[in-house]
Amino acid sequence: MDSLFGNLKVKSGAAFRFAAGCLSRLALTKGSIRSQILIFCLAMSAVAVALGGYSILGIRHAGDLVAKTFDESLMSINYARAAGADFATMRVASSQRLLTTDPEIRANLDGQIEKLAKTLSEDLAIAADRSQSSRAAQAAAKVQEAADAWMALHRRAIGSSTEASAAADPREPGATVGDVDRYSKIVSQQVELLVNYTAGDGFLFRQKALSTIKRDLQLNVAGLTVALFLSALFSWLLARRIIGPVAIASRAARSIAGGDLDATIPKGGTDELGTLLTAMETMRDNIRRMVNQEVSQRRSAQARLSDALETSREGVVLLDADGQVALANSRASELIRLSPQLLQSNPLDAARLAPADGDIDGFASEAQLSDGRWLRVSRSETQEGGVVLVYSDISALKQQKAELHETNLRLDAALTHMSQGLCLYNSEARLQVANRRFCEIFDISPELVIPGMTMEEVLDLSIAAGNHGERTVADLLAERERSMAQHDGNYLQHLSDGRIIAIAQRPTSDGGWLVTCEDVTEQQRAESQIAFMARHDALTKLPNRTLLAERIELAVAQVGRGLGFAVFCLDLDNFKQVNDTLGHPVGDELLCAVADRLNACVREVDTVARLGGDEFAVIQCGVQGGDEAERLARRVVECVGAPYELNGHRVVVGCSVGISMSPGDGTTGEKLLKNADVALYRAKMEGRGTWRFFEPAMDASLQRRRALELDLREAMAKDEFSLYYQPLYDLHLDRICGFEALLRWHHPKRGMVSPDQFIPIAEEIGLIGPLGEWVLNRACEQATTWPGEMKLAVNVSAVQFRDADFIDVVVNALAASKLSPRRLELEITESVFLANSNETLATLHKLKAQGLRIALDDFGTGYSSLSYLRSFPFDKLKIDKSFVRDATATHGSKSIVRAVISLGRSLGMTTIAEGIETVEQLDHMRAEGCNEAQGFLLSHPVPVTEIAVKILELRNGFKPASVKTALAS
């Protein structure tokens, strides 16, 4: 290949030199300019073809080298590395095959190893085929031999393992397995050697290819240098033959163009330049003859023009193309206060004579002189590019026009800037004046409103603009007559586009009348909107409490005629969660959608109202019994509970309904709404998504809850709360490791109130914050008296956790009690993540940065426990007591407990089982690997005064009751 390229280069160089010599000789010969230019172009084309052909051959050669580099060297390296990867995968699969006992897994691994062995052989064959040296091919063969030997050892190891499986543990390989591992290193070494050989061969081939490309590049540079030299030579020869004669012709042309019509033009030859010089001489003679004729004609014309200008009453000034005064008559001198001698001896510029306030490019304009006189200036352009200015004295006319214009301006300004439309009619009902605002109001083109029109014609224009729908001129005139008689000429006119126009008509002293029009649409709409908003909800446009009370009073008035009615109070379930998670705009959109569905559920005679927030009310009129109200309640619950598609979100909310019947449940709106609200509260307490009719007993239950709420508000001040502690037991160390603080309420009359009763109320009325802060401070203070290894666990409500000051509360409690942060555990439930998981995670990380431990309580009972574990590294997982209780009875709970303990172990988290009540449950948790336990079996919650006794009782291990009895006896 290199010799072929060398021969081609030698032959093309010789051909190039021969062609260059021939073209040089042709360029020096006499002939036409076109022939010489053709010869030059052919020569340059030959040079370009030669260089292009050689470049194509060089590029093709470089492409072959690149292709060979990839197809041979790079492919060989890649397949050698692929063989190494195949063998590494075979080793892993072999290890798994020898360790597993599952027949199905073994079969799959055997198939995978055989398939990888086949792939290894194919990769080695391709690597050897694409290699650049014999040593690489030999290395590939050695790798294949080593791989075959390894496969044989692997098969013997499999057979040995299978024979020994009946008497030995399959996880303990025999001696043959060791041989397989040792021989694997030999195969890996052979593969590494193969990769090194192929990589080295590729580097050597790359050096050779770069050398070849460098040589071609040098030859290309040499050829380009020769081509540039020949191009310069040809250009010099062509310039010598053409540029000299062209310069002579150019000098002659410049002389003629400069006005030298006596310039000498040399004789030319027989080529194109000679013909050009002869033609230029003829052109010079023709121009000289025409110029002499033009000069004679102009002198005659100027004499006649001068006579006409001097007898004219108008001032005339002629400006040439440069703006200089070429001609001015005596009248022009008089008007512009200039003497004829100055006008003739001193040139005047165009700006001196141009209009002071006119447009110099227009046909006519006006100018004011320094003595106050006004001139009208007419302007026209001459063929030579000059300007003719004609001055006329219009001072008297200007004064009259100014006075009239001033009067018109004042009138136009008054009419134009009126906010009202105006039409003035004379005694013959003919239009005299109509301002712009009138045309704007009725959408009439001002050009169509012409003084002298009749009122009927003006009304026709308004009808044609589409302002009055199907009404005719006769209808509009009749409307005007009625208004004149009934409303003293003032009335409202409703246009077809919805606008409202206030029209006022007043007679004038000359028997005509003045009509004023004003667009009061927005004013009328604002008044209507104010009246509407006073009785309707701004968001849903439903009736508000005011209008609802009026509708109830109206329904109460009809009860005496035998028509009963029902009042519904509705409340959306989980609406706050929608607002917190998706935002208030989606919440507002949901409320509007609920309002639409409620309107679709009721009849036209019924009323749907919004009381505020997510509370709605319905008045069902004409109800004979509870069955009709129940059917409507069922329809409302089903309709409102159907899914919503809001702004790309699928939202599902429920609906709870409370119903009161009139007259049985009340005869006033206030009573009926109160009883319906009580029934609604009962519906929400009994599971939501349902409806309840009002019963007198409901009111008593609600009163009891309200009394409990009032007592709860006073309990903090009366110091009725206390802390009980339940031990935490370490199953590995078999001793007590801490206590969980539990809040208790000692009511003076009710006795001990369960936390399940008062904690939800505290969250609802906003007392959980100060109550939780009290628990943290008291628990940390009391825990400082315990032994240093005893830790303290405190439950944190989801409402309390979302408080912005919660971190400060924890830090202040630790600082005040001087309790070590590592001894404090905060227990939270998955519900804290429902509102804003990002802010929740940020708060958790800040707490953990203080050195506290975080425990996830009731694990497994939420919706996304695993996602929470991935988002935040909890220190402890509390297995819910429902799983612990059934762990020894049902297989499902046992599997869940085992999975949770395994999950906590793999994530580095402590697991604690709560609700231990039997010895069997305790033993089962210990056997499964659970870290800690808590429950009534170990101890009931005890007051702070019994903490020391519990520590002594459980510090040396837990003894069941039967063991304690035996020891005592």
Side-chain angles (χ1 to χ4, degrees), residues 18-29 39 43 230 233-234 237:
F18 174 75
C22 293
L23 291 172
S24 299
R25 288 190 294 274
L26 287 173
L28 296 175
T29 59
I39 292 172
L230 291 177
L233 177 62
F234 292 156
L237 292 174

Side-chain angles (χ1 to χ4, degrees), residues 655-886:
C655 174
S656 301
V657 183
I659 309 170
S660 62
M661 304 290 296
S662 178
D665 296 332
T667 56
T668 64
E670 181 180 356
K671 183 68 174 178
L672 290 169
L673 281 173
K674 175 179 176 296
N675 290 341
D677 190 59
V678 171
L680 171 63
Y681 179 77
R682 174 58 62 86
K684 293 170 64 176
M685 292 293 294
E686 294 183 359
R688 301 176 181 267
T690 184
W691 59 91
R692 290 292 180 269
F693 285 90
F694 172 76
E695 299 174 0
M698 293 180 180
D699 190 42
S701 175
L702 182 60
Q703 295 300 329
R704 287 194 298 272
R705 183 189 181 282
R706 289 175 178 171
L708 184 62
E709 177 182 326
L710 294 175
D711 292 344
L712 182 60
R713 292 182 183 276
E714 298 177 358
M716 287 283 292
K718 296 180 178 179
D719 196 22
E720 296 177 359
F721 292 106
S722 63
L723 292 180
Y724 275 53
Y725 296 91
Q726 188 172 27
L728 305 176
Y729 195 78
D730 191 320
L731 295 177
H732 292 170
L733 300 178
D734 202 21
R735 66 182 182 186
I736 188 173
C737 61
F739 293 90
E740 178 182 1
L742 302 173
L743 182 63
R744 294 293 184 265
W745 181 15
H746 300 273
H747 193 278
K749 296 181 180 180
R750 304 173 189 266
M752 188 72 74
V753 181
S754 172
D756 295 338
Q757 296 181 11
F758 69 85
I759 291 296
I761 297 177
E763 292 179 341
E764 183 177 341
I765 64 178
L767 285 180
I768 194 64
L771 191 58
E773 183 177 357
W774 179 87
V775 171
L776 266 173
N777 290 325
R778 182 63 60 88
C780 291
E781 178 185 351
Q782 294 177 350
T784 54
T785 62
W786 305 345
E789 70 274 9
M790 293 294 163
K791 55 190 174 183
L792 168 67
V794 179
N795 289 284
V796 178
S797 166
V799 178
Q800 179 187 2
F801 189 86
R802 287 193 290 268
D803 190 348
D805 299 329
F806 176 68
I807 297 179
D808 295 335
V809 170
V810 176
V811 173
N812 293 336
L814 292 172
S817 62
K818 297 183 180 180
L819 180 70
S820 173
R822 64 180 179 81
R823 295 179 58 190
L824 178 61
E825 288 183 358
L826 298 181
E827 296 185 1
I828 63 172
T829 60
E830 296 167 354
S831 59
V832 302
F833 290 91
L834 295 179
N836 191 327
S837 58
N838 292 331
E839 293 183 3
T840 299
L841 290 174
T843 302
L844 289 173
H845 282 290
K846 291 178 181 178
L847 289 172
K848 196 163 185 179
Q850 298 291 333
L852 283 73
R853 293 169 55 85
I854 307 297
L856 184 59
D857 199 3
D858 299 335
F859 180 73
T861 60
Y863 299 100
S864 306
S865 302
L866 295 181
S867 67
Y868 301 149
L869 296 182
R870 183 181 61 182
S871 303
F872 179 77
F874 288 95
D875 299 292
K876 179 183 288 188
L877 298 179
K878 296 195 72 172
I879 306 174
D880 188 69
K881 58 186 177 183
S882 61
F883 299 121
V884 175
R885 181 177 59 250
D886 300 332

